Amino acid sequence: MHIKILLEPLEGEVEVVIRGRMDDPLVQKLLGACRQVEQARRLFLYRDGRAFLCDYTEVDWFEARGGGVTAHMKGEELEAKCRLHELAEAAASRGFVQISKGLLVNVSQIRSVSAAFSGNYLAELKDGKTTLVISRKYVKSFRSYVMEVL
């Protein structure tokens, strides 16, 4: 088996070329991984019986409430038809990190973080209106994500 990765500066879309036999299990795994990356870029969100195809980058944070998940985007609220833990897995590679049992935040939307009572932290978002609590249980993973993953 031979794997060759060639990185070239390109304008526009990312291009991935896989050469090999289609029945090779490694080729199938690579194709599956590429499909997951493409699917993870966008998600369907719902409001008033309509479906909207949105990029993860458009979402400021996700909130589990009332038995569902709400996506907060520039002052709007849309419904996600999946569970928060499923979103956490899919959105981790897109800049989201879980900060409490019911919240996922887009790290690029955080303006500042400050200490609060009882080991919790507060994340002020760039919109200047929203402050989210980073639960003390999630502070370590939040720091790790920000310092190592991003």
Side-chain angles (χ1 to χ4, degrees):
M1 174 190 323
H2 176 75
I3 296 177
K4 177 182 175 182
I5 299 174
L6 178 62
L7 301 173
E8 298 175 349
L10 293 174
E11 296 290 326
E13 292 284 323
V14 173
E15 178 183 347
V16 176
V17 177
I18 300 171
R19 294 190 178 114
R21 292 188 354 249
M22 289 301 293
D23 61 348
D24 185 325
L26 179 59
V27 170
Q28 290 301 314
K29 282 184 181 181
L30 290 170
L31 286 171
C34 289
R35 287 186 188 111
Q36 284 180 342
V37 167
E38 181 59 29
Q39 290 169 354
R41 210 176 102 208
R42 295 186 177 161
L43 74 159
F44 277 105
L45 298 173
Y46 303 85
R47 183 180 59 219
D48 300 327
R50 295 179 61 197
F52 299 88
L53 186 59
C54 304
D55 280 353
Y56 277 95
T57 57
E58 297 176 287
V59 178
D60 299 326
W61 85 94
F62 291 103
E63 176 184 21
R65 68 174 180 197
V69 176
T70 301
H72 297 266
M73 305 168 50
K74 313 227 182 311
E76 293 186 72
E77 294 183 358
L78 290 95
E79 181 186 354
K81 302 260 182 179
C82 54
R83 298 188 180 274
L84 193 67
H85 71 88
E86 295 168 340
L87 276 172
E89 291 174 19
S93 64
R94 298 289 172 212
F96 284 81
V97 64
Q98 190 157 3
I99 60 170
S100 72
K101 185 177 179 180
L103 292 175
L104 287 176
V105 67
N106 183 342
V107 174
S108 69
Q109 294 302 315
I110 296 176
R111 175 184 292 158
S112 65
V113 175
S114 58
F117 296 107
S118 303
N120 292 337
Y121 280 73
L122 299 175
E124 180 187 348
L125 300 191
K126 290 180 179 177
D127 66 7
K129 303 175 198 171
T130 307
T131 301
L132 303 174
V133 175
I134 303 173
S135 170
R136 66 179 178 213
K137 179 181 173 184
Y138 292 87
V139 168
K140 187 175 180 179
S141 62
F142 172 79
R143 276 193 184 135
S144 173
Y145 184 86
V146 170
M147 299 304 290
E148 297 172 15
V149 176
L150 294 181

